[in-house]
Amino acid sequence: MIALPSEGREGGDLYALFSCGGERIARIVLADAVGHGFSASRIAAYVHRLLHELHDIRDTGALLAALNDAFLASQEPGAPLRLTTVATANYDGDSGEFSYSYAAHPRMLLWRASLREWLPLGGDLEGGLPLGVTAGEVYSHQNVRLEPGDMVMAFSDAVTEVKAPDDTQFTAERFQHLAGSTASHLPHPISLHDLSEGLLEAISRYHNADKFEDDLTLLTLRRLS
């Protein structure tokens, strides 16, 4: 897990792990509020509060729809829109089922241990609009079964939108390739810490700087058994 606010100690990225449906279901959330610093961190804190209030909603698409409606209901007339992208998933510890949805968020990556390869999760899944744009937005979901040793990586768009000194954007495709090459140079079983640190180091080299213009978050999880 790596989280680097772009301005001081406050940022607009929110990462959270909740219990959903007893100890069997784990809910993973990565949200990225538009903006930087304290104003973005206030939006992230609001998302966190809503997630606690809506913890009984099991369907990931329905959760995003409820979050979106709550955002719009609390929007003050004439105030700047409070926009947030979200990737969320439920993991069933018994079956290994991983059910996920997006609100305009970068696609998570799935590491198949049997293939030793990263694959985008939900490349054909409609991501919907960010939270806070329009009422009645519908968010779809998909399911995939995680096998022992499989990993899932969620990240904020700072990872894919970081630019080289010549203004060339990194892109999701480059990041997927980087994740594969980084994993291939690590001993197995792969250390999640070493993987995250290796990716951050490589992204910093591409950017040619240690400080990023946007909040950067990398969240990696693995099924152990």
Side-chain angles (χ1 to χ4, degrees), residues 16-223:
L17 182 64
F18 296 93
S19 175
C20 175
E23 297 182 357
R24 186 171 63 90
I25 305 293
R27 169 165 290 161
I28 301 109
V29 178
L30 176 55
D32 182 359
V34 171
H36 307 288
F38 181 70
S39 60
S41 72
R42 290 182 63 188
I43 299 175
Y46 179 58
V47 175
H48 191 263
R49 184 167 71 251
L50 289 176
L51 287 168
H52 280 285
E53 294 175 2
L54 301 171
H55 73 277
D56 287 334
I57 300 178
R58 292 280 297 274
D59 181 274
T60 54
L63 171 66
L64 292 181
L67 286 170
N68 181 60
D69 290 346
F71 254 64
L72 289 166
S74 64
Q75 181 74 25
E76 298 179 3
L81 289 178
R82 298 183 299 175
L83 305 181
T84 304
T85 70
V86 183
T88 185
N90 292 340
Y91 172 68
D92 188 319
D94 291 340
S95 67
E97 182 178 286
F98 191 79
S99 176
Y100 55 93
S101 297
Y102 300 103
H105 198 87
R107 297 305 189 250
M108 294 178 282
L109 294 178
L110 167 64
W111 170 265
R112 282 298 192 192
S114 59
L115 302 175
R116 296 198 174 188
E117 180 181 4
W118 289 101
L119 306 168
L121 267 181
D124 59 344
L125 179 64
E126 293 184 7
L129 294 172
L131 304 186
V133 176
T134 183
E137 183 69 7
V138 176
Y139 300 91
S140 304
H141 75 273
Q142 285 185 350
N143 301 323
V144 66
R145 178 181 170 81
L146 302 185
E147 302 296 340
D150 286 353
M151 296 184 289
V152 172
M153 182 186 299
F155 47 91
S156 56
D157 61 8
V159 170
T160 55
E161 294 180 359
V162 67
K163 295 181 178 179
D166 65 359
D167 214 34
T168 302
Q169 189 167 304
F170 195 51
T171 75
E173 291 76 15
R174 284 179 174 165
F175 179 66
Q176 182 179 341
H177 176 75
L178 174 65
S181 62
T182 302
S184 69
H185 289 90
L186 293 173
H188 290 259
I190 295 172
S191 162
L192 300 187
H193 172 80
D194 292 347
L195 175 63
S196 297
E197 290 293 335
L199 287 170
L200 179 61
E201 181 180 343
I203 294 168
S204 298
R205 284 199 304 269
Y206 182 86
H207 188 47
N208 197 30
D210 294 329
K211 185 173 177 59
F212 300 94
E213 297 177 1
D214 197 2
D215 303 324
L216 186 151
T217 302
L218 281 171
L219 175 62
T220 309
L221 307 125
R222 173 167 49 211
R223 180 180 181 183

